[in-house]
Amino acid sequence: MANFLFCSLDAALIGDIAWQVTEEGHDVRYYIEADSDQEIADGFIPKTDDWRGDLDWADVVIFDDIWVGSDIGTGEIAQELRAEGHAVVGGTPNTDTLEEDRGYAMEVLKDHGVNTIEHHVFEDFDAGIQHVKENPAPYVIKPLGEVQNVKRLLYVGNEDDGSDIVDVLKAYKKAWGHRMKGFQLQRKVEGVEIAVCGFFNGESFVEPINFNFEHKKLFPGNIGPSTGEMGTSMFWAGRNELFAETLGKVEGWLADEGYVGSIDINCIVNEDGIYPLEFTPRFGYPTITLQEESFESETGQFFLDLANGRDPELAVHRGYQVAVRVVLPPFPFDDEETYDENSRNAAVVFESDSRDGIHIEDAKRVDGQWRVAGESGMPLVVTGKGETMQGAREQAYERIDDILIPNRYYRDDIGERWIDGDGDRLQAWGYLGPTL
C-alpha cells in the first residue's frame, strides 16, 4: 500500500480516481484549492488543507489539470517537485503550453513530422476577419488562453465562404474582446473525429493505447451549446497507424520533457490522412473515469509505477466502453439562482444496491446519503462495458435508469456514432488494426 496526494489547484476534477484508489486500500489525501469546490468528495475521500505540508508523506503526487486558478502552472510545479525527488503525475511548462497555445502545439507537431491542418493564430479580431475574407473557406474558431475553458466559444463553421466565421468573430470582439487574448483559425476538415490517448511514464508510452470519441455538445444529435464533455466512448488497441502517425512521433520529445501522465491528440481522420486538432496534456474528463473503469489491474499500483518511471502492467477490458455524464440545471452555464432552486444539495437516490459503474464528479456523501456538491451541476458519470459498443451502451443506460435525481438530464446517444458507421470507416481506411 502507498500514500497518494491528489491536488486540484483550480476546479476539483480528480475526486473519482482518488476514491477508487482509496477503495483499493491505499492511504489518500485530497487537496482542493477553490472555495466553491471544498465540499466535493466529502465522505468519500480524506481531505487535506496543506498539500505542500504533505509532500514528504506522499509516495505519489497527482495533479488533475494544468491550471492554477486562472493561470497555467501545474507543469512548472510538477517539474520542480520531480527535481526535488518526488514521484509526480503531472506535466512540464512546455507540455502545459500545448493546450494553452494551440499555435505552439501545431509547431511541435510539424517539427516532428506530423501532418497538420492549415491554421493561423491571431491576437486581433480584425486581422482574423480580414484573413477569412481574403481566404474564404469553412474554419473552426478556437480561443486561446484561459478563456478557452468557456467551451461554448469554440465554433465550427458551416459556410463554404466563411461568412458565418466573420459574423461570429465580430460578435466575439464585442462580447469577449476584453478577455480573449487570441484565437486560432483552423481550416475545417471533414471526417471521423477520434482521440488517440496514451499514458506516458517519463520515457515511453505504456501499452495498450486508448482510442476515444468525445461528445461535446449538450444535446443528442450533437447539437446545442458546447460543454466540456457529455460523454465518451472508447476502446483499447496496440501501436497502430493512428498512434504511430500522431503520439508516436512525439514520444522522444515527451521523454526529453520528462512528462508523466495522460496525454491525447484529438484528430479528424478521413481516407486522405490523419489531421491532429489539439492536445490534451493532462487527464480528460470524463475520459479518465472511463479509462479507470476499464482497468482490470489495480489503479493505485498503475499510477505508483507510472510516477516512478516503471512500465506498469496495465490490463484493460477487452471490448468497448461508454461513459455518460449526468448533469443538472443550469449546466453548462453559470446561474447561481437556478442552481440554488433546482440542484444544490439535491439527493442522489439509487433504486438498487449496486454501485457498479457509478462514478462521482461533483458529489458528496453525508451520513451515507449521496448528494450533489459544488456549483457546476455535474454530480455523476455512469459507465458501461461490453463486447460490442451496443452492449456497452445498454449497460450504461440501464445503470442510469436506476438513479433518481430531480431535474437530471444526459445525452442518450453516446457511442451511436461508432455503430452508425464511424467504426466501419476507420477500419476500411486501415488506421486501427485489431482492437483488444
Side-chain angles (χ1 to χ4, degrees), residues 11 35 39 76 78 85 92 119 181 189 255 260 265 286 297 320 394 429:
D35 290 341
E39 65 177 359
E76 182 176 356
T92 72
H119 60 278
K181 73 175 188 179
V189 176
V260 178
I265 298 181
S297 48
Y320 298 85
E394 290 173 358
W429 296 331

Side-chain angles (χ1 to χ4, degrees), residues 242-426:
L242 191 53
F243 169 83
E245 293 299 317
T246 55
L247 284 182
K249 289 194 172 183
V250 296
E251 191 164 19
W253 183 81
L254 290 170
D256 291 341
E257 284 293 313
Y259 183 83
V260 178
S262 169
I263 183 168
D264 86 3
I265 298 181
N266 198 31
C267 306
I268 290 289
V269 177
N270 59 35
E271 59 186 342
D272 297 321
I274 301 165
Y275 305 94
L277 301 177
E278 60 192 15
F279 278 99
T280 302
R282 53 172 174 81
F283 297 122
Y285 302 96
T287 304
I288 183 58
T289 299
L290 186 54
Q291 289 169 331
E292 190 283 326
E293 174 70 17
S294 65
F295 284 7
E296 295 185 346
S297 48
E298 191 189 66
T299 301
Q301 187 63 49
F302 173 79
F303 285 116
L304 181 64
D305 289 339
L306 195 76
N308 283 282
R310 299 189 287 265
D311 188 13
E313 295 182 3
L314 177 60
V316 298
H317 174 256
R318 301 176 68 88
Y320 298 85
Q321 304 87 38
V322 165
V324 183
R325 181 171 263 163
V326 178
V327 300
L328 298 170
F331 181 87
F333 304 105
D334 296 324
D335 184 332
E336 186 174 357
E337 182 178 353
T338 298
Y339 184 75
D340 288 343
E341 290 179 355
N342 295 278
S343 306
R344 188 178 299 279
N345 210 38
V348 181
V349 178
F350 298 94
E351 292 191 321
S352 71
D353 293 332
S354 174
R355 301 294 179 269
D356 291 343
I358 310 300
H359 299 265
I360 62 169
E361 285 201 300
D362 295 350
K364 60 185 176 182
R365 188 163 52 189
V366 180
D367 298 328
Q369 172 68 61
W370 289 37
R371 292 189 174 276
V372 175
E375 296 184 344
S376 298
M378 302 185 301
L380 300 177
V381 172
V382 181
T383 63
K385 297 178 290 188
E387 293 184 5
T388 64
M389 191 70 81
Q390 181 60 29
R393 277 176 41 79
E394 290 173 358
Q395 186 179 72
Y397 287 109
E398 286 171 0
R399 288 169 170 170
I400 290 175
D401 287 343
D402 285 338
I403 302 170
L404 299 177
I405 313 175
N407 303 312
R408 69 175 187 174
Y409 47 102
Y410 54 89
R411 278 183 61 163
D412 63 2
D413 64 343
I414 307 301
E416 282 188 355
R417 294 203 310 259
W418 175 270
I419 299 167
D420 291 343
D422 280 3
D424 291 339
R425 283 188 285 272
L426 289 170

